[in-house]
């Protein structure tokens, strides 16, 4: 891997770090002591754990996609990216059956020591499930797992390398050095980073592009300033992605001609509400709506007029229901369906009457209708209660049969189990 050298420009973060190193070299011979070693061990453990958790959080989405699609190539790229980290010794990505999609392990066995076990033995192994978002009405599903093991020898060596440089220093030197580091890094690095962290922490996850971009005085042209600009570009791009996702999700559930819910959305909504009604023993109703003699309307007035009429009918029908609880969808052609959760037969009949009157209120002439002079609609209503044993499919079939009876009995009417309107 080619490494790009960073020039020590005046005022850059790199030059500030170099200056700090020189100042510390004058004050230090070594920093040591049992307290310093203990603090270093805790700090190193926290940093390692944080880095691993961040890495897992970054790759979990892509790894879940690979496990869901059973894509070994993508899994291999993700696993290799983790394995290339010097602190990680083993990586495995598995599907939900436990079969490996990609694995990386050292060619030689890793020897364990009492020191490595004492320092890092309880944090060497990580195993997280991979959750995948399947659909808007379904919970996240576990599609696999990522497992990794840290290189305890390398971690121990890093600890020993650091320990050698600190052993022998006095407590006073450690105290003075801590004060210098805290004061210097807090002013030049920690405080600006905390501003960036605070801005990110308070960003709205639904509107990340509207985050309060921090203004870091003295860091406009160094790495911290570039970091803030890069984060801003990233969040803006992420916001665009969210907007596109929401738009595509919306379009995938809307009928392109009428603007109401499409058949796909109806199927999902119907099954979801049916299960809720069964669990809670609530009433449940459905209304099939069909525009009368619409073929003759299309044949004589033209398909353009027919499309305009479908849009007008869909709009007035949709205005008759409560969109927060109910659903109107285009079932196909000139047929619509209305789902009414928690509404019994009497309430469904009231809604059906409003729907029928709404179509009549359009007063669209239909000179070629065999039954009426204006556009009308026939409806079939079917309802279930806690005592009935109908299935979801049977309830739809019943509503469709009642619609057929309404057509057969003269159209522009509502048919239900026991009443005719």
């Amino acid at each position: 891997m080619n490494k790009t050298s960073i020039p020590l420009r005046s005022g850059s973060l790199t030059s500030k770090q170099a200056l700090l190193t020189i100042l510390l070299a004058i004050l230090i011979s070594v920093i040591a002591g049992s307290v310093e070693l203990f603090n270093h061990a805790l700090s190193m453990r926290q940093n390692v754990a944080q880095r691993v958790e961040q890495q897992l959080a970054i790759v979990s989405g892509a790894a879940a996609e690979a496990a869901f699609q059973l894509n070994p190539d993508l899994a291999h790229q993700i696993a290799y990216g983790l394995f290339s980290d010097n602190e990680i010794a083993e990586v495995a990505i598995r599907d939900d059956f436990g079969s490996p999609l990609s694995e990386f392990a050292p060619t030689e066995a890793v020897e364990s020591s009492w020191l490595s076990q004492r320092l890092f033995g309880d944090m060497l192994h990580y195993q997280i499930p991979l959750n995948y978002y399947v659909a808007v009405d379904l919970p996240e599903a576990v599609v696999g797992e990522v497992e990794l093991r840290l290189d305890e020898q390398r971690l121990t060596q890093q600890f020993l390398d650091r320990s050698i440089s600190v052993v022998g220093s006095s407590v006073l030197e450690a105290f003075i050095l801590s004060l210098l580091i805290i004061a210097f890094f807090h002013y030049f690095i920690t405080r600006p980073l905390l501003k960036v962290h605070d801005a990110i922490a308070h960003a709205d996850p639904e509107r990340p592009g509207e985050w309060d971009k921090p203004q870091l005085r003295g860091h406009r042209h160094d790495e911290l300033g570039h970091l803030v600009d890069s984060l801003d570009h990233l969040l803006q791009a992420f916001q665009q992605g969210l907007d596109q996702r929401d738009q595509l999700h919306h379009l995938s559930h809307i009928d392109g001609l009428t603007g109401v819910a499409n058949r796909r959305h109806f199927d999902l909504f119907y099954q979801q509400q049916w299960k809720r009604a069964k669990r809670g023993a609530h009433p449940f109703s459905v209304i099939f709506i069909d525009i009368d003699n619409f073929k003759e309307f299309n044949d004589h007035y033209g398909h353009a007029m027919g499309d305009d009429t479908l849009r007008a009918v869909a709009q007035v029908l949709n205005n008759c229901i409560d969109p927060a609880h109910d659903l109107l969808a285009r079932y196909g052609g000139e047929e619509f369906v209305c789902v009414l959760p928690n509404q019994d037969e009497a309430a469904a009949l009231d809604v059906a009457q409003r729907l029928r009157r709404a179509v009549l209120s359009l007063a669209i002439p239909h000179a070629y209708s065999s039954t009426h002079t204006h556009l009308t609609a026939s409806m079939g209503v079917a309802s279930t209660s806690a005592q009935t044993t109908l299935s979801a499919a049977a309830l739809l079939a019943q509503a469709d049969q009642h619609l057929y009876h309404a057509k057969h009995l003269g159209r522009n009417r509502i048919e239900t189990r026991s009443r005719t309107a």
Side-chain angles (χ1 to χ4, degrees), residues 301-312:
Y301 292 104
H303 288 281
M305 183 64 180
D307 290 346
D308 291 340
T309 300
L310 283 175
R311 281 189 285 266

Side-chain angles (χ1 to χ4, degrees), residues 87-118:
E87 293 178 353
I88 298 177
E90 299 178 29
V91 179
I93 299 178
R94 303 183 181 92
D95 59 23
D96 55 342
F97 298 102
S99 301
L101 294 174
S102 180
E103 288 183 318
F104 287 91
T107 57
E108 298 179 0
V110 178
E111 296 181 1
S112 179
S113 65
W114 69 268
L115 180 60
S116 64
Q117 287 296 315
R118 183 73 175 175

Side-chain angles (χ1 to χ4, degrees), residues 84-383:
S84 61
D85 189 320
N86 293 331
E87 293 178 353
I88 298 177
E90 299 178 29
V91 179
I93 299 178
R94 303 183 181 92
D95 59 23
D96 55 342
F97 298 102
S99 301
L101 294 174
S102 180
E103 288 183 318
F104 287 91
T107 57
E108 298 179 0
V110 178
E111 296 181 1
S112 179
S113 65
W114 69 268
L115 180 60
S116 64
Q117 287 296 315
R118 183 73 175 175
L119 291 172
F120 310 107
D122 60 339
M123 56 177 295
L124 296 175
H125 183 257
Y126 290 82
Q127 187 173 9
I128 64 168
L130 297 174
N131 299 320
Y132 190 80
Y133 186 79
V134 179
V136 67
D137 58 328
L138 297 176
E140 290 185 341
V142 177
V143 297
E145 65 177 11
V146 174
E147 183 178 9
L148 59 83
R149 183 176 297 277
L150 301 182
D151 189 338
E152 59 183 284
Q153 288 185 345
R154 182 170 293 276
L155 293 176
T156 304
Q157 187 61 47
Q158 291 177 358
F159 176 79
L160 291 175
D161 292 340
R162 175 63 175 163
S163 299
I164 293 173
S165 67
V166 300
V167 171
S169 179
S170 66
V171 175
L172 181 59
E173 290 174 337
F175 178 73
I176 295 174
L177 177 62
S178 298
L179 290 179
L180 291 174
I181 293 177
I182 290 173
F184 188 89
F185 274 90
H186 177 74
Y187 185 80
F188 287 101
I189 299 176
T190 306
R191 188 172 64 173
L193 285 175
L194 288 175
K195 288 183 179 180
V196 177
H197 174 270
D198 186 66
I200 296 175
H202 288 85
D204 184 358
E206 297 297 326
R207 305 296 304 173
E210 300 176 1
W211 76 308
D212 186 14
K213 180 180 177 181
Q215 303 297 324
L216 304 181
R217 296 178 58 185
H219 294 283
R220 182 177 178 182
H221 300 295
D222 65 15
E223 288 85 343
L224 278 176
H226 296 324
L227 173 63
V228 172
D229 291 337
S230 298
L231 284 173
D232 185 55
H233 292 319
L234 179 62
L235 292 175
Q236 296 300 331
F238 189 51
Q239 181 65 61
Q240 292 178 2
L242 288 178
D243 294 340
Q244 292 174 357
R245 180 205 65 181
D246 294 341
Q247 183 179 10
L248 290 174
H249 182 268
H250 176 74
L251 293 176
S252 68
H253 288 78
I254 298 298
D255 178 63
L257 176 63
T258 62
V260 299
N262 60 14
R263 177 67 178 272
R264 177 185 180 186
H265 190 185
F266 162 75
D267 290 337
L268 294 173
F269 184 85
Y270 183 77
Q271 291 298 328
Q272 180 187 50
Q273 296 301 322
W274 175 265
K275 292 176 182 178
R276 288 182 180 177
K278 281 296 184 182
R279 285 196 302 266
H282 300 309
F284 190 84
S285 298
V286 62
I287 305 172
F288 266 127
I289 308 156
D290 189 82
I291 301 176
D292 295 326
N293 300 301
F294 194 71
K295 181 180 183 302
E296 291 79 1
F297 188 93
N298 257 342
D299 291 343
H300 292 88
Y301 292 104
H303 288 281
M305 183 64 180
D307 290 346
D308 291 340
T309 300
L310 283 175
R311 281 189 285 266
V313 170
Q315 182 177 358
V316 297
L317 293 178
N318 203 39
N319 291 337
C320 294
I321 66 170
D322 181 2
H325 307 95
D326 309 327
L327 177 74
L328 177 79
R330 186 184 181 193
Y331 198 75
E334 69 274 18
E335 193 171 15
F336 297 86
V337 61
C338 184
V339 183
L340 303 172
N342 300 320
Q343 298 197 42
D344 57 16
E345 184 178 284
L349 279 172
D350 290 339
V351 174
Q353 289 286 9
R354 293 200 304 269
L355 296 173
R356 189 179 68 88
R357 289 193 295 266
V359 176
L360 292 175
S361 69
L362 292 173
I364 299 176
H366 192 349
Y368 302 94
S369 172
S370 59
T371 54
H372 299 83
T373 59
H374 288 78
L375 194 75
T376 61
S378 299
M379 304 179 191
V381 180
S383 302

